[in-house]
Amino acid sequence: MLKLIAPSFSALRRPALRLAAAGFALFLAGCAGLPPRAPEPPTLSIVASPATRLGRAAASLNNAAQDGLSSVRPLVEASFALDARFELMRRAQASLDVQTYQLGNDKTGLLLLRELRNAARRGVRVRLLLDDFYTAGMDRLLLGLAAEPNAEVRLFNPFVNARDHSATRWLEFFGDFRRLNHRMHNKLFVADGAMAIAGGRNLADEYFLRSEGANFIDFELVMAGPVVPEAARIFDTYWNSDVVYPIQRIAGTSDGAEALKSAFEAATSPVHAPPPAPPSGTDLMGDAPLGAQLADIGRVKWMRADAHAAADSPHKALGALTPATESLAARFHEMTASARSDVIVISPYFIPGDEGMARIREGRARGVRISVVTNSLADSDEPLVNINYNRYRVDMLKLGVNLYEVSTEQLKRNRQFRTLLKKARGRLHAKLAIVDREWVLLGSMNLDPRSARLNTEFGVRVRSFELSQALLYAYQLDDIEGVYRVVLMPDGKNVQWIGTGDVDNEVLDSEPDSSLLTRLQLLLFSWFVPTDQL
């Protein structure tokens, strides 16, 4: 999620510095617009073929069925999700199309870049599409990948000036706020046009439990069948959009191709990008790693499901108004509004707004059971969002909504999470909904105004009782632990937090694991950041 945290300007008190800063900001505002984009022939996805191993595997999973269904498997555990990407990259023979909001300049991001480079050198066509918000200081690295004959790197809605430093990027951001405030939040990975991975994970350490500071609990789906060409066509729409630029058009360098390749080789060496230990045994679902499944494809049974991919238009980045019925948020709300019995929403950021509260009220009037799992204040990486969610908490509880907040302290009372997280914090990042225990909605979209109005998002709708049951089991949603259950206090005006991680089930009357000073500071900041920016 875009972090709207302003840089410190305490040094600008002196008039001369203020004048210089103002002049620099005006300069950036005047030249921050994108350069003209010459029309280019569109590049399209390579369709699945039995000539590739992954194409044959996908055909085997679908058994040449003509029922319109796809084959899917959930990727709940981070180590299995990362390993699945390595397997697809190493087995790819025709193409790799990767789209993400954030690619970390860390051991995970560097290792994934190296695998993409290796695939390109094997003759695989590689297309890497990045949102440009988190690429500060990475231009030379990305140019090194793009220097390979079979690899292309493109940037969505890019910054134009002062690209190497975050601080100067912030000046450009505010100088061209109306444009740069729109970001591409999509996450998609397609191999040989035959298999795809979609969900909430960015490509950085903290999304695969490889960070020592804080890690995210997330969810993805690996897919084969008709949903994959749907996703691939969406990728093509973005790749060929006029808000996407080849990195060579944006990031200049005097280095030649060989120098860039050499620098890439050094930056992505095992010293900087050590590979993780391969996952052992089976995951929570009892599934072997993807490589083992592909090696024994004739005996592996994936879930068969009606699955469809959808996304916002890339022109959302230009402030273009998407027809209300076509936005991903509108499709999500339409699906949840059709619920007959229950809706379970898992989202790291949850701001229902007035429209969302009206939908909740209508659903509860029809007897629909609604449960929401989100981050606690102490464990949100966007605490300002949490403050705005708090404004709706009492009203939701009065309507009978079940509210749960994820807490590191509660999670670590579970031995499995304690082992996975070690000393790091644990935060929720999965974005999914289960409707009537029959439909699963997943992807990159948070349930907040930023996802609905500003960022572009990608999602998949799956009709599968089997997948729904698997997720209820994996996340223990029928008997949830590792969270605080939020309830109304007897006065009906305030809330309490009841622990679920041990037999004591502690009861708290204030935000868990957060200080009064922190809460006051966030409340003050929330007055100055509009809700529609969160």
Side-chain angles (χ1 to χ4, degrees), residues 256-300:
E258 293 308 312
L260 291 170
K261 291 179 184 180
S262 178
F264 182 96
E265 177 71 23
T268 62
S269 70
V271 174
H272 303 292
S280 59
T282 59
D283 64 10
L284 286 172
M285 310 293 184
D287 292 331
L290 183 60
Q293 295 185 47
L294 294 177
D296 197 16
I297 199 68
R299 299 175 59 186
V300 174

Side-chain angles (χ1 to χ4, degrees), residues 202-218:
N202 289 301
L203 304 180
D205 284 348
E206 57 267 33
Y207 298 92
F208 297 97
L209 298 183
R210 303 187 77 199
S211 170
E212 296 180 358
N215 287 297
F216 291 108
I217 301 164
D218 221 316

Side-chain angles (χ1 to χ4, degrees), residues 104-112 205 210-212 272-275:
N105 192 1
D106 55 23
K107 53 184 181 288
T108 298
L110 294 173
L111 184 56
L112 289 166
D205 284 348
R210 303 187 77 199
S211 170
E212 296 180 358
H272 303 292

Side-chain angles (χ1 to χ4, degrees), residues 142-162:
L142 297 173
L143 287 166
L145 175 61
E148 299 291 336
N150 293 316
E152 287 186 81
V153 178
R154 294 188 180 183
L155 303 175
F156 182 93
N157 198 18
F159 289 75
V160 178
N161 304 289

Side-chain angles (χ1 to χ4, degrees), residues 402-419:
N402 301 303
L403 286 184
Y404 303 94
E405 296 181 4
V406 173
S407 156
T408 294
E409 295 306 313
Q410 291 289 309
L411 284 173
K412 288 187 176 180
R413 292 175 181 176
N414 178 292
R415 185 173 66 179
Q416 177 187 351
F417 279 114
R418 188 164 60 247
T419 301

Side-chain angles (χ1 to χ4, degrees), residues 34-38 99 129-132 154-159 179-180 182-184 237-246 250 312-320 456:
L34 287 170
R37 192 181 190 283
Q99 180 180 16
L129 175 55
L130 300 175
D131 183 82
D132 198 35
R154 294 188 180 183
L155 303 175
F156 182 93
N157 198 18
F159 289 75
R179 176 178 70 86
L180 292 172
H182 294 271
R183 307 311 322 167
M184 181 191 76
T237 299
Y238 275 79
W239 184 258
N240 297 301
S241 167
D242 54 7
V243 293
V244 167
Y245 283 70
I250 298 298
D312 291 318
S313 166
H315 289 118
K316 194 177 180 182
L318 300 176
T456 70

Side-chain angles (χ1 to χ4, degrees), residues 25-26 28-30 32 169-178 180:
L26 288 172
L28 289 176
R169 279 194 175 207
W170 275 114
L171 288 173
E172 182 173 351
F173 179 83
F174 289 113
D176 198 6
F177 180 81
R178 187 172 183 178
L180 292 172

Side-chain angles (χ1 to χ4, degrees), residues 63 82 90 96 140-141 145 193 202 212 245 271 312 350 359 375 391 411 441 452 476 495 507 510 527:
N63 295 317
L82 183 57
R90 292 164 185 169
L96 287 167
R140 201 156 180 260
L141 185 67
L145 175 61
N202 289 301
E212 296 180 358
Y245 283 70
V271 174
D312 291 318
F350 187 77
R359 285 188 289 266
N375 279 312
R391 297 172 179 173
L411 284 173
L441 312 176
Q476 302 174 340
V495 302
V507 178
S510 60
W527 295 342

